[in-house]
Amino acid sequence: MKYLVRDKIFAIGDDYWIEDEQGRHAFLVDGKALRLRDTLELKDPDGQVLITLRQKMFSLRDAMTIERGEQPLATVRRKRLSLLRNHYRVTLVEGTELDVSGRILDREFTVEYEGELLAHISRQWFHVRETYAVNVVREDADTALLVAVAVCVIRMAEREREDD
């Protein structure tokens, strides 16, 4: 299933809706302003928090944590020693690792588990430049997690570009 994201600016304090293919509100990305660290919440249409993204404090490398119900779910980091600058690793708490690679800033990348495609993020399906889709390929995939991973790595890549 594809989820449509209108690529506003991932600034803290900005809220925006992610829609499903039928144009219905699927997730609200709620940027939390006035926090010491970068914090975003992914909510369902009823306002229930599904996932929280937080910038890791005092990390040697830029990292964000993904939490569900205030419990750590995963850590996202730019892959060390990667020839591709836009390669991130998502390490789930139970040890599973997801690879995120491609042109993050161009919104053309994939999320894979052991070489199997879980989600494809792309602008190619749209003519509007500020729009991209998160296409969750597997029916049994954790959709909220994959949408959160896409939002997270884009936010991290944008911050990295600003710092350069």
Side-chain angles (χ1 to χ4, degrees):
M1 170 159 247
K2 288 182 187 155
Y3 295 90
L4 176 71
V5 183
R6 301 223 192 292
D7 199 12
K8 296 170 84 169
I9 296 175
F10 288 106
I12 299 306
D14 281 354
D15 299 345
Y16 57 94
W17 282 101
I18 296 174
E19 300 171 348
D20 65 15
E21 290 178 283
Q22 288 75 41
R24 295 180 302 238
H25 289 168
F27 303 103
L28 174 67
V29 178
D30 185 359
K32 295 298 179 187
L34 304 173
R35 300 268 173 110
L36 289 175
R37 56 186 177 169
D38 197 353
T39 303
L40 301 168
E41 291 179 340
L42 187 68
K43 298 179 177 180
D44 68 13
D46 296 324
Q48 182 73 29
V49 177
L50 302 172
I51 302 267
T52 302
L53 306 169
R54 297 184 204 280
Q55 178 183 6
K56 272 191 108 165
M57 297 297 286
F58 312 114
S59 178
L60 293 175
R61 291 185 295 144
D62 194 22
M64 289 188 80
T65 59
I66 298 175
E67 300 170 2
R68 179 175 279 144
E70 298 189 27
Q71 296 296 315
L73 180 61
T75 301
V76 180
R77 287 188 172 88
R78 189 166 62 81
K79 192 172 178 184
R80 240 180 182 169
L81 305 177
S82 174
L83 296 176
L84 300 172
R85 183 178 174 122
N86 291 310
H87 194 155
Y88 291 79
R89 172 146 300 135
V90 180
T91 306
L92 293 140
V93 290
E94 80 272 357
T96 302
E97 292 186 341
L98 307 178
D99 285 312
V100 180
S101 61
R103 297 185 323 272
I104 308 294
L105 294 174
D106 291 335
R107 309 314 190 248
E108 294 291 337
F109 59 96
T110 59
V111 181
E112 297 179 340
Y113 170 66
E114 293 185 349
E116 182 182 352
L117 181 65
L118 299 177
H120 181 215
I121 292 75
S122 179
R123 281 193 168 137
Q124 74 181 3
W125 295 298
F126 303 101
H127 298 291
V128 180
R129 177 83 176 128
E130 293 79 27
T131 304
Y132 67 93
V134 177
N135 185 17
V136 178
V137 177
R138 287 196 41 163
E139 296 281 326
D140 62 343
D142 184 339
T143 303
L145 174 62
L146 292 172
V147 169
V149 165
V151 168
C152 187
V153 297
I154 290 170
R155 177 70 189 130
M156 290 174 72
E158 290 283 341
R159 252 196 341 243
E160 187 177 307
R161 181 177 66 181
E162 290 168 6
D163 291 344
D164 286 346

